[in-house]
Each structure stands twice: as C-alpha cells, then as structure tokens.
Amino acid sequence: MTLTEGMQAPDFELPSSTGEAIKLSDYRGQRVLIYFYPKDMTSACTQQACDFRDRHEEFQGLNTVILGISTDPMNRHDKFIAKYGLPFTLLSDEEHQVAEQYGVWQLKKLYGKEYMGIVRSTFLIDEEGKLLKEWSIVKVKGHIEAALEALKEL
C-alpha cells in the first residue's frame, strides 16, 4: 500500500517504552510525528533521536507527539532511552508489520550486500489520523528543522 497525503494513516498497536501497548488512534486530538529508523545506538539513529530530544519542547508546543519506531526489541529501546535521556516514546516493531504498512520496510544495500530493513522515514499525522506529510529516505541533518517548519505552517 502506498500512503498519500490526506489518506487515513494505518492504525497500529505496538509495545512501547512506557510499558504499555500503544495505538496510533490513542493520540486522536493531537498531531503525531512518527519517525521510523533502522537501529538503536548507531551513529545516524542516535543523532536523529538526540535532535528530536533537543527540540522536544517545541514539538509539544505545537500539539505534536513524537513516536520513534524501529525493529529493535524493547530492552534495547530501554537502554537507548536511558543512555541519551530521550523524552519521547519508542515503539518496537520486531516483526516489521507496521514498517510494511507504512512502506518503509524495503530492500537495502550496504557494502555490496542486500538485505531487508527500515528506510529512515517520517510521517506527520493530523488530529483526525490523516497523513499530512511524509519525508522518505530522510537525511538526518536538517530534518528536525524541516519537520518543525512544516508544523508551523499548519
């Protein structure tokens, strides 16, 4: 399935760093910024998480919840959160079902090897659960600023 702006974002339920299963629909009435990333504790993923951490209050001020999703298990998310003081929720999609729903589980290449994995992507969902904006194949540098700018323009 290909997601397009204005389309209802697929609802999901995943285990979270809060200890509870979280559904996207739990956040009706707020904007949700979902960012999919490949792996906890790697350099680009750590930079991205820390960038979101450092600007977290600005997102909150714009009525926006941040949810990070990777295929890492919860115990790894817990270590990632503790090590970097992340103030937002991380979700574990170990079976990559949600990544597939959002079209970010794709064939990747690294050092000549091919494998399936998450392509770094971000989705901005409105208060009714509709997709406002998508960023595909995200480059970490400048991404948080672009997301904040999109929110401010709403």
Side-chain angles (χ1 to χ4, degrees):
M1 175 172 85
T2 302
L3 296 178
T4 56
E5 291 179 12
M7 176 183 215
Q8 194 71 27
D11 200 7
F12 57 79
E13 183 173 340
L14 289 172
S16 78
S17 55
T18 66
E20 301 173 344
I22 287 187
K23 296 179 189 174
L24 176 59
S25 56
D26 292 340
Y27 295 99
R28 289 295 193 274
Q30 299 177 77
R31 294 184 193 121
V32 181
L33 187 132
I34 302 170
Y35 81 97
F36 288 89
Y37 65 100
K39 192 162 186 62
D40 292 340
M41 306 291 188
T42 58
S43 60
C45 294
T46 298
Q47 183 62 58
Q48 185 179 27
C50 290
D51 288 350
F52 277 121
R53 175 199 65 201
D54 295 346
R55 307 290 293 272
H56 186 250
E57 287 184 17
E58 290 177 67
F59 284 97
Q60 284 184 313
L62 294 166
N63 191 34
T64 304
V65 173
I66 298 169
L67 299 175
I69 301 177
S70 79
T71 57
D72 289 308
M74 285 313 310
N75 64 345
R76 189 160 172 95
H77 279 343
D78 292 341
K79 291 175 187 171
F80 193 42
I81 290 166
K83 184 170 184 176
Y84 294 102
L86 304 180
F88 49 85
T89 302
L90 297 181
L91 305 174
S92 180
D93 186 19
E94 289 187 77
E95 302 299 320
H96 48 82
Q97 292 173 335
V98 176
E100 288 181 39
Q101 282 182 296
Y102 280 76
V104 301
W105 185 255
Q106 299 177 18
L107 184 64
K108 298 172 74 174
K109 292 181 183 181
L110 183 64
Y111 304 118
K113 293 187 179 191
E114 291 185 341
Y115 63 98
M116 295 299 290
I118 288 180
V119 173
R120 190 181 314 278
S121 304
T122 302
F123 297 85
L124 180 57
I125 312 298
D126 75 7
E127 295 86 347
E128 285 84 42
K130 292 185 181 165
L131 179 63
L132 288 173
K133 186 153 181 69
E134 173 188 3
W135 292 268
S136 299
I137 313 171
V138 166
K139 300 289 183 217
V140 173
K141 185 177 173 112
H143 178 56
I144 278 50
E145 292 77 12
L148 282 167
E149 190 61 35
L151 281 163
K152 290 173 185 173
E153 290 175 0
L154 296 175

PDB file of all heavy atoms in Angstrom, residues 60-92:
ATOM      1  N   GLN A  60       6.108  19.680  21.383  1.00  0.00           N
ATOM      2  CA  GLN A  60       4.997  19.681  22.345  1.00  0.00           C
ATOM      3  C   GLN A  60       4.202  20.971  22.248  1.00  0.00           C
ATOM      4  O   GLN A  60       2.972  20.952  22.314  1.00  0.00           O
ATOM      5  CB  GLN A  60       5.520  19.507  23.767  1.00  0.00           C
ATOM      6  CG  GLN A  60       5.933  18.094  24.100  1.00  0.00           C
ATOM      7  CD  GLN A  60       6.344  17.965  25.558  1.00  0.00           C
ATOM      8  OE1 GLN A  60       7.112  18.769  26.080  1.00  0.00           O
ATOM      9  NE2 GLN A  60       5.821  16.940  26.209  1.00  0.00           N
ATOM     10  N   GLY A  61       4.895  22.091  22.103  1.00  0.00           N
ATOM     11  CA  GLY A  61       4.234  23.383  21.973  1.00  0.00           C
ATOM     12  C   GLY A  61       3.375  23.496  20.724  1.00  0.00           C
ATOM     13  O   GLY A  61       2.500  24.352  20.638  1.00  0.00           O
ATOM     14  N   LEU A  62       3.627  22.629  19.759  1.00  0.00           N
ATOM     15  CA  LEU A  62       2.847  22.594  18.523  1.00  0.00           C
ATOM     16  C   LEU A  62       1.838  21.439  18.541  1.00  0.00           C
ATOM     17  O   LEU A  62       1.393  20.972  17.497  1.00  0.00           O
ATOM     18  CB  LEU A  62       3.782  22.478  17.316  1.00  0.00           C
ATOM     19  CG  LEU A  62       4.679  23.700  17.092  1.00  0.00           C
ATOM     20  CD1 LEU A  62       5.802  23.373  16.112  1.00  0.00           C
ATOM     21  CD2 LEU A  62       3.858  24.877  16.600  1.00  0.00           C
ATOM     22  N   ASN A  63       1.484  20.961  19.753  1.00  0.00           N
ATOM     23  CA  ASN A  63       0.497  19.897  19.946  1.00  0.00           C
ATOM     24  C   ASN A  63       0.878  18.637  19.152  1.00  0.00           C
ATOM     25  O   ASN A  63       0.038  18.019  18.507  1.00  0.00           O
ATOM     26  CB  ASN A  63      -0.913  20.371  19.560  1.00  0.00           C
ATOM     27  CG  ASN A  63      -2.000  19.396  19.987  1.00  0.00           C
ATOM     28  OD1 ASN A  63      -1.904  18.737  21.018  1.00  0.00           O
ATOM     29  ND2 ASN A  63      -3.041  19.287  19.185  1.00  0.00           N
ATOM     30  N   THR A  64       2.168  18.287  19.204  1.00  0.00           N
ATOM     31  CA  THR A  64       2.663  17.151  18.421  1.00  0.00           C
ATOM     32  C   THR A  64       3.410  16.179  19.308  1.00  0.00           C
ATOM     33  O   THR A  64       4.341  16.551  20.015  1.00  0.00           O
ATOM     34  CB  THR A  64       3.584  17.639  17.283  1.00  0.00           C
ATOM     35  OG1 THR A  64       2.849  18.591  16.493  1.00  0.00           O
ATOM     36  CG2 THR A  64       4.040  16.497  16.412  1.00  0.00           C
ATOM     37  N   VAL A  65       2.996  14.909  19.232  1.00  0.00           N
ATOM     38  CA  VAL A  65       3.639  13.814  19.950  1.00  0.00           C
ATOM     39  C   VAL A  65       4.652  13.166  19.011  1.00  0.00           C
ATOM     40  O   VAL A  65       4.362  12.972  17.824  1.00  0.00           O
ATOM     41  CB  VAL A  65       2.576  12.763  20.362  1.00  0.00           C
ATOM     42  CG1 VAL A  65       3.220  11.531  20.948  1.00  0.00           C
ATOM     43  CG2 VAL A  65       1.578  13.369  21.323  1.00  0.00           C
ATOM     44  N   ILE A  66       5.805  12.825  19.531  1.00  0.00           N
ATOM     45  CA  ILE A  66       6.830  12.128  18.746  1.00  0.00           C
ATOM     46  C   ILE A  66       6.829  10.656  19.135  1.00  0.00           C
ATOM     47  O   ILE A  66       6.879  10.323  20.319  1.00  0.00           O
ATOM     48  CB  ILE A  66       8.235  12.720  19.015  1.00  0.00           C
ATOM     49  CG1 ILE A  66       8.295  14.187  18.590  1.00  0.00           C
ATOM     50  CG2 ILE A  66       9.311  11.894  18.298  1.00  0.00           C
ATOM     51  CD1 ILE A  66       9.542  14.913  19.044  1.00  0.00           C
ATOM     52  N   LEU A  67       6.782   9.785  18.129  1.00  0.00           N
ATOM     53  CA  LEU A  67       6.910   8.340  18.325  1.00  0.00           C
ATOM     54  C   LEU A  67       8.016   7.835  17.414  1.00  0.00           C
ATOM     55  O   LEU A  67       7.970   8.056  16.198  1.00  0.00           O
ATOM     56  CB  LEU A  67       5.605   7.618  17.973  1.00  0.00           C
ATOM     57  CG  LEU A  67       4.359   7.969  18.758  1.00  0.00           C
ATOM     58  CD1 LEU A  67       3.142   7.235  18.175  1.00  0.00           C
ATOM     59  CD2 LEU A  67       4.525   7.633  20.233  1.00  0.00           C
ATOM     60  N   GLY A  68       9.003   7.173  17.998  1.00  0.00           N
ATOM     61  CA  GLY A  68      10.064   6.558  17.205  1.00  0.00           C
ATOM     62  C   GLY A  68       9.803   5.067  17.083  1.00  0.00           C
ATOM     63  O   GLY A  68       9.463   4.417  18.071  1.00  0.00           O
ATOM     64  N   ILE A  69       9.966   4.518  15.872  1.00  0.00           N
ATOM     65  CA  ILE A  69       9.715   3.096  15.640  1.00  0.00           C
ATOM     66  C   ILE A  69      10.909   2.463  14.948  1.00  0.00           C
ATOM     67  O   ILE A  69      11.392   2.962  13.930  1.00  0.00           O
ATOM     68  CB  ILE A  69       8.460   2.874  14.765  1.00  0.00           C
ATOM     69  CG1 ILE A  69       7.214   3.482  15.417  1.00  0.00           C
ATOM     70  CG2 ILE A  69       8.255   1.383  14.486  1.00  0.00           C
ATOM     71  CD1 ILE A  69       5.946   3.374  14.568  1.00  0.00           C
ATOM     72  N   SER A  70      11.366   1.345  15.514  1.00  0.00           N
ATOM     73  CA  SER A  70      12.370   0.509  14.852  1.00  0.00           C
ATOM     74  C   SER A  70      12.033  -0.945  15.153  1.00  0.00           C
ATOM     75  O   SER A  70      11.109  -1.231  15.906  1.00  0.00           O
ATOM     76  CB  SER A  70      13.787   0.844  15.327  1.00  0.00           C
ATOM     77  OG  SER A  70      14.052   0.250  16.571  1.00  0.00           O
ATOM     78  N   THR A  71      12.808  -1.844  14.588  1.00  0.00           N
ATOM     79  CA  THR A  71      12.579  -3.271  14.835  1.00  0.00           C
ATOM     80  C   THR A  71      13.350  -3.770  16.060  1.00  0.00           C
ATOM     81  O   THR A  71      13.309  -4.953  16.368  1.00  0.00           O
ATOM     82  CB  THR A  71      12.966  -4.119  13.604  1.00  0.00           C
ATOM     83  OG1 THR A  71      14.325  -3.849  13.274  1.00  0.00           O
ATOM     84  CG2 THR A  71      12.058  -3.807  12.421  1.00  0.00           C
ATOM     85  N   ASP A  72      14.023  -2.867  16.751  1.00  0.00           N
ATOM     86  CA  ASP A  72      14.746  -3.258  17.962  1.00  0.00           C
ATOM     87  C   ASP A  72      13.783  -3.734  19.043  1.00  0.00           C
ATOM     88  O   ASP A  72      12.665  -3.211  19.162  1.00  0.00           O
ATOM     89  CB  ASP A  72      15.556  -2.081  18.518  1.00  0.00           C
ATOM     90  CG  ASP A  72      16.747  -1.741  17.657  1.00  0.00           C
ATOM     91  OD1 ASP A  72      17.529  -2.651  17.358  1.00  0.00           O
ATOM     92  OD2 ASP A  72      16.892  -0.563  17.294  1.00  0.00           O
ATOM     93  N   PRO A  73      14.210  -4.695  19.874  1.00  0.00           N
ATOM     94  CA  PRO A  73      13.367  -5.144  20.990  1.00  0.00           C
ATOM     95  C   PRO A  73      13.303  -4.075  22.092  1.00  0.00           C
ATOM     96  O   PRO A  73      14.148  -3.183  22.163  1.00  0.00           O
ATOM     97  CB  PRO A  73      14.072  -6.408  21.482  1.00  0.00           C
ATOM     98  CG  PRO A  73      15.496  -6.239  21.064  1.00  0.00           C
ATOM     99  CD  PRO A  73      15.467  -5.435  19.789  1.00  0.00           C
ATOM    100  N   MET A  74      12.313  -4.195  22.956  1.00  0.00           N
ATOM    101  CA  MET A  74      12.115  -3.184  23.996  1.00  0.00           C
ATOM    102  C   MET A  74      13.323  -3.030  24.916  1.00  0.00           C
ATOM    103  O   MET A  74      13.641  -1.915  25.316  1.00  0.00           O
ATOM    104  CB  MET A  74      10.865  -3.502  24.825  1.00  0.00           C
ATOM    105  CG  MET A  74       9.553  -3.191  24.120  1.00  0.00           C
ATOM    106  SD  MET A  74       9.460  -1.568  23.299  1.00  0.00           S
ATOM    107  CE  MET A  74      10.007  -0.477  24.574  1.00  0.00           C
ATOM    108  N   ASN A  75      14.017  -4.113  25.255  1.00  0.00           N
ATOM    109  CA  ASN A  75      15.162  -3.960  26.164  1.00  0.00           C
ATOM    110  C   ASN A  75      16.245  -3.077  25.538  1.00  0.00           C
ATOM    111  O   ASN A  75      16.915  -2.321  26.234  1.00  0.00           O
ATOM    112  CB  ASN A  75      15.706  -5.319  26.623  1.00  0.00           C
ATOM    113  CG  ASN A  75      16.266  -6.156  25.495  1.00  0.00           C
ATOM    114  OD1 ASN A  75      16.038  -5.896  24.316  1.00  0.00           O
ATOM    115  ND2 ASN A  75      16.995  -7.194  25.856  1.00  0.00           N
ATOM    116  N   ARG A  76      16.404  -3.137  24.232  1.00  0.00           N
ATOM    117  CA  ARG A  76      17.381  -2.264  23.560  1.00  0.00           C
ATOM    118  C   ARG A  76      16.873  -0.819  23.546  1.00  0.00           C
ATOM    119  O   ARG A  76      17.649   0.113  23.739  1.00  0.00           O
ATOM    120  CB  ARG A  76      17.651  -2.776  22.153  1.00  0.00           C
ATOM    121  CG  ARG A  76      18.801  -2.066  21.482  1.00  0.00           C
ATOM    122  CD  ARG A  76      19.362  -2.889  20.338  1.00  0.00           C
ATOM    123  NE  ARG A  76      20.330  -2.136  19.585  1.00  0.00           N
ATOM    124  CZ  ARG A  76      21.632  -2.186  19.779  1.00  0.00           C
ATOM    125  NH1 ARG A  76      22.134  -2.971  20.710  1.00  0.00           N
ATOM    126  NH2 ARG A  76      22.454  -1.469  19.045  1.00  0.00           N
ATOM    127  N   HIS A  77      15.573  -0.636  23.313  1.00  0.00           N
ATOM    128  CA  HIS A  77      14.988   0.713  23.387  1.00  0.00           C
ATOM    129  C   HIS A  77      15.202   1.308  24.774  1.00  0.00           C
ATOM    130  O   HIS A  77      15.541   2.489  24.900  1.00  0.00           O
ATOM    131  CB  HIS A  77      13.484   0.667  23.101  1.00  0.00           C
ATOM    132  CG  HIS A  77      13.103   0.618  21.661  1.00  0.00           C
ATOM    133  ND1 HIS A  77      13.935   0.951  20.616  1.00  0.00           N
ATOM    134  CD2 HIS A  77      11.915   0.285  21.091  1.00  0.00           C
ATOM    135  CE1 HIS A  77      13.293   0.831  19.469  1.00  0.00           C
ATOM    136  NE2 HIS A  77      12.058   0.410  19.735  1.00  0.00           N
ATOM    137  N   ASP A  78      14.995   0.499  25.809  1.00  0.00           N
ATOM    138  CA  ASP A  78      15.160   0.983  27.186  1.00  0.00           C
ATOM    139  C   ASP A  78      16.579   1.497  27.413  1.00  0.00           C
ATOM    140  O   ASP A  78      16.783   2.550  28.022  1.00  0.00           O
ATOM    141  CB  ASP A  78      14.821  -0.112  28.190  1.00  0.00           C
ATOM    142  CG  ASP A  78      13.338  -0.477  28.189  1.00  0.00           C
ATOM    143  OD1 ASP A  78      12.511   0.325  27.702  1.00  0.00           O
ATOM    144  OD2 ASP A  78      13.012  -1.579  28.668  1.00  0.00           O
ATOM    145  N   LYS A  79      17.573   0.782  26.919  1.00  0.00           N
ATOM    146  CA  LYS A  79      18.976   1.209  27.059  1.00  0.00           C
ATOM    147  C   LYS A  79      19.235   2.493  26.274  1.00  0.00           C
ATOM    148  O   LYS A  79      19.951   3.389  26.742  1.00  0.00           O
ATOM    149  CB  LYS A  79      19.913   0.099  26.583  1.00  0.00           C
ATOM    150  CG  LYS A  79      19.924  -1.112  27.499  1.00  0.00           C
ATOM    151  CD  LYS A  79      20.774  -2.219  26.917  1.00  0.00           C
ATOM    152  CE  LYS A  79      20.624  -3.482  27.769  1.00  0.00           C
ATOM    153  NZ  LYS A  79      21.248  -4.648  27.147  1.00  0.00           N
ATOM    154  N   PHE A  80      18.661   2.579  25.083  1.00  0.00           N
ATOM    155  CA  PHE A  80      18.823   3.751  24.219  1.00  0.00           C
ATOM    156  C   PHE A  80      18.241   4.989  24.906  1.00  0.00           C
ATOM    157  O   PHE A  80      18.883   6.046  24.960  1.00  0.00           O
ATOM    158  CB  PHE A  80      18.120   3.457  22.892  1.00  0.00           C
ATOM    159  CG  PHE A  80      18.422   4.396  21.759  1.00  0.00           C
ATOM    160  CD1 PHE A  80      19.698   4.854  21.493  1.00  0.00           C
ATOM    161  CD2 PHE A  80      17.397   4.793  20.904  1.00  0.00           C
ATOM    162  CE1 PHE A  80      19.963   5.693  20.414  1.00  0.00           C
ATOM    163  CE2 PHE A  80      17.643   5.622  19.825  1.00  0.00           C
ATOM    164  CZ  PHE A  80      18.928   6.085  19.579  1.00  0.00           C
ATOM    165  N   ILE A  81      17.047   4.854  25.448  1.00  0.00           N
ATOM    166  CA  ILE A  81      16.381   5.954  26.147  1.00  0.00           C
ATOM    167  C   ILE A  81      17.198   6.394  27.361  1.00  0.00           C
ATOM    168  O   ILE A  81      17.425   7.586  27.575  1.00  0.00           O
ATOM    169  CB  ILE A  81      14.957   5.538  26.566  1.00  0.00           C
ATOM    170  CG1 ILE A  81      14.065   5.420  25.337  1.00  0.00           C
ATOM    171  CG2 ILE A  81      14.368   6.524  27.579  1.00  0.00           C
ATOM    172  CD1 ILE A  81      12.755   4.715  25.591  1.00  0.00           C
ATOM    173  N   ALA A  82      17.652   5.422  28.142  1.00  0.00           N
ATOM    174  CA  ALA A  82      18.418   5.734  29.352  1.00  0.00           C
ATOM    175  C   ALA A  82      19.745   6.410  29.020  1.00  0.00           C
ATOM    176  O   ALA A  82      20.137   7.392  29.654  1.00  0.00           O
ATOM    177  CB  ALA A  82      18.659   4.466  30.166  1.00  0.00           C
ATOM    178  N   LYS A  83      20.431   5.910  28.029  1.00  0.00           N
ATOM    179  CA  LYS A  83      21.754   6.445  27.684  1.00  0.00           C
ATOM    180  C   LYS A  83      21.683   7.882  27.168  1.00  0.00           C
ATOM    181  O   LYS A  83      22.554   8.698  27.463  1.00  0.00           O
ATOM    182  CB  LYS A  83      22.421   5.551  26.633  1.00  0.00           C
ATOM    183  CG  LYS A  83      23.824   5.992  26.289  1.00  0.00           C
ATOM    184  CD  LYS A  83      24.554   4.966  25.447  1.00  0.00           C
ATOM    185  CE  LYS A  83      25.989   5.420  25.205  1.00  0.00           C
ATOM    186  NZ  LYS A  83      26.746   4.410  24.481  1.00  0.00           N
ATOM    187  N   TYR A  84      20.615   8.197  26.407  1.00  0.00           N
ATOM    188  CA  TYR A  84      20.543   9.516  25.777  1.00  0.00           C
ATOM    189  C   TYR A  84      19.444  10.417  26.332  1.00  0.00           C
ATOM    190  O   TYR A  84      19.228  11.518  25.818  1.00  0.00           O
ATOM    191  CB  TYR A  84      20.398   9.354  24.252  1.00  0.00           C
ATOM    192  CG  TYR A  84      21.637   8.736  23.663  1.00  0.00           C
ATOM    193  CD1 TYR A  84      21.662   7.392  23.318  1.00  0.00           C
ATOM    194  CD2 TYR A  84      22.814   9.471  23.511  1.00  0.00           C
ATOM    195  CE1 TYR A  84      22.813   6.804  22.811  1.00  0.00           C
ATOM    196  CE2 TYR A  84      23.963   8.894  23.006  1.00  0.00           C
ATOM    197  CZ  TYR A  84      23.953   7.566  22.662  1.00  0.00           C
ATOM    198  OH  TYR A  84      25.099   6.990  22.171  1.00  0.00           O
ATOM    199  N   GLY A  85      18.753   9.985  27.377  1.00  0.00           N
ATOM    200  CA  GLY A  85      17.728  10.818  28.011  1.00  0.00           C
ATOM    201  C   GLY A  85      16.608  11.207  27.062  1.00  0.00           C
ATOM    202  O   GLY A  85      16.202  12.367  27.028  1.00  0.00           O
ATOM    203  N   LEU A  86      16.111  10.250  26.304  1.00  0.00           N
ATOM    204  CA  LEU A  86      15.069  10.546  25.323  1.00  0.00           C
ATOM    205  C   LEU A  86      13.724  10.745  26.022  1.00  0.00           C
ATOM    206  O   LEU A  86      13.273   9.867  26.754  1.00  0.00           O
ATOM    207  CB  LEU A  86      14.979   9.412  24.294  1.00  0.00           C
ATOM    208  CG  LEU A  86      16.281   9.084  23.565  1.00  0.00           C
ATOM    209  CD1 LEU A  86      16.053   7.945  22.580  1.00  0.00           C
ATOM    210  CD2 LEU A  86      16.861  10.308  22.870  1.00  0.00           C
ATOM    211  N   PRO A  87      13.057  11.882  25.785  1.00  0.00           N
ATOM    212  CA  PRO A  87      11.810  12.187  26.487  1.00  0.00           C
ATOM    213  C   PRO A  87      10.540  11.742  25.756  1.00  0.00           C
ATOM    214  O   PRO A  87       9.441  12.039  26.193  1.00  0.00           O
ATOM    215  CB  PRO A  87      11.844  13.717  26.566  1.00  0.00           C
ATOM    216  CG  PRO A  87      12.532  14.113  25.299  1.00  0.00           C
ATOM    217  CD  PRO A  87      13.571  13.035  25.051  1.00  0.00           C
ATOM    218  N   PHE A  88      10.694  11.056  24.643  1.00  0.00           N
ATOM    219  CA  PHE A  88       9.536  10.621  23.867  1.00  0.00           C
ATOM    220  C   PHE A  88       9.490   9.096  23.819  1.00  0.00           C
ATOM    221  O   PHE A  88      10.437   8.417  24.215  1.00  0.00           O
ATOM    222  CB  PHE A  88       9.550  11.219  22.451  1.00  0.00           C
ATOM    223  CG  PHE A  88      10.870  11.054  21.746  1.00  0.00           C
ATOM    224  CD1 PHE A  88      11.173   9.894  21.051  1.00  0.00           C
ATOM    225  CD2 PHE A  88      11.830  12.057  21.796  1.00  0.00           C
ATOM    226  CE1 PHE A  88      12.391   9.731  20.418  1.00  0.00           C
ATOM    227  CE2 PHE A  88      13.054  11.905  21.167  1.00  0.00           C
ATOM    228  CZ  PHE A  88      13.334  10.741  20.479  1.00  0.00           C
ATOM    229  N   THR A  89       8.395   8.564  23.314  1.00  0.00           N
ATOM    230  CA  THR A  89       8.133   7.132  23.328  1.00  0.00           C
ATOM    231  C   THR A  89       8.745   6.440  22.117  1.00  0.00           C
ATOM    232  O   THR A  89       8.631   6.925  20.991  1.00  0.00           O
ATOM    233  CB  THR A  89       6.606   6.895  23.338  1.00  0.00           C
ATOM    234  OG1 THR A  89       6.061   7.552  24.488  1.00  0.00           O
ATOM    235  CG2 THR A  89       6.274   5.410  23.404  1.00  0.00           C
ATOM    236  N   LEU A  90       9.369   5.295  22.378  1.00  0.00           N
ATOM    237  CA  LEU A  90       9.859   4.429  21.302  1.00  0.00           C
ATOM    238  C   LEU A  90       8.983   3.187  21.259  1.00  0.00           C
ATOM    239  O   LEU A  90       8.578   2.658  22.305  1.00  0.00           O
ATOM    240  CB  LEU A  90      11.319   4.028  21.536  1.00  0.00           C
ATOM    241  CG  LEU A  90      12.344   5.155  21.540  1.00  0.00           C
ATOM    242  CD1 LEU A  90      13.744   4.594  21.753  1.00  0.00           C
ATOM    243  CD2 LEU A  90      12.279   5.982  20.262  1.00  0.00           C
ATOM    244  N   LEU A  91       8.707   2.720  20.055  1.00  0.00           N
ATOM    245  CA  LEU A  91       7.877   1.549  19.839  1.00  0.00           C
ATOM    246  C   LEU A  91       8.699   0.455  19.162  1.00  0.00           C
ATOM    247  O   LEU A  91       9.548   0.743  18.318  1.00  0.00           O
ATOM    248  CB  LEU A  91       6.672   1.898  18.966  1.00  0.00           C
ATOM    249  CG  LEU A  91       5.801   3.041  19.457  1.00  0.00           C
ATOM    250  CD1 LEU A  91       4.735   3.377  18.428  1.00  0.00           C
ATOM    251  CD2 LEU A  91       5.162   2.706  20.786  1.00  0.00           C
ATOM    252  N   SER A  92       8.411  -0.782  19.529  1.00  0.00           N
ATOM    253  CA  SER A  92       9.143  -1.927  18.991  1.00  0.00           C
ATOM    254  C   SER A  92       8.283  -2.649  17.956  1.00  0.00           C
ATOM    255  O   SER A  92       7.219  -3.175  18.271  1.00  0.00           O
ATOM    256  CB  SER A  92       9.511  -2.873  20.135  1.00  0.00           C
ATOM    257  OG  SER A  92      10.208  -3.986  19.627  1.00  0.00           O
TER     258      SER A  92
END
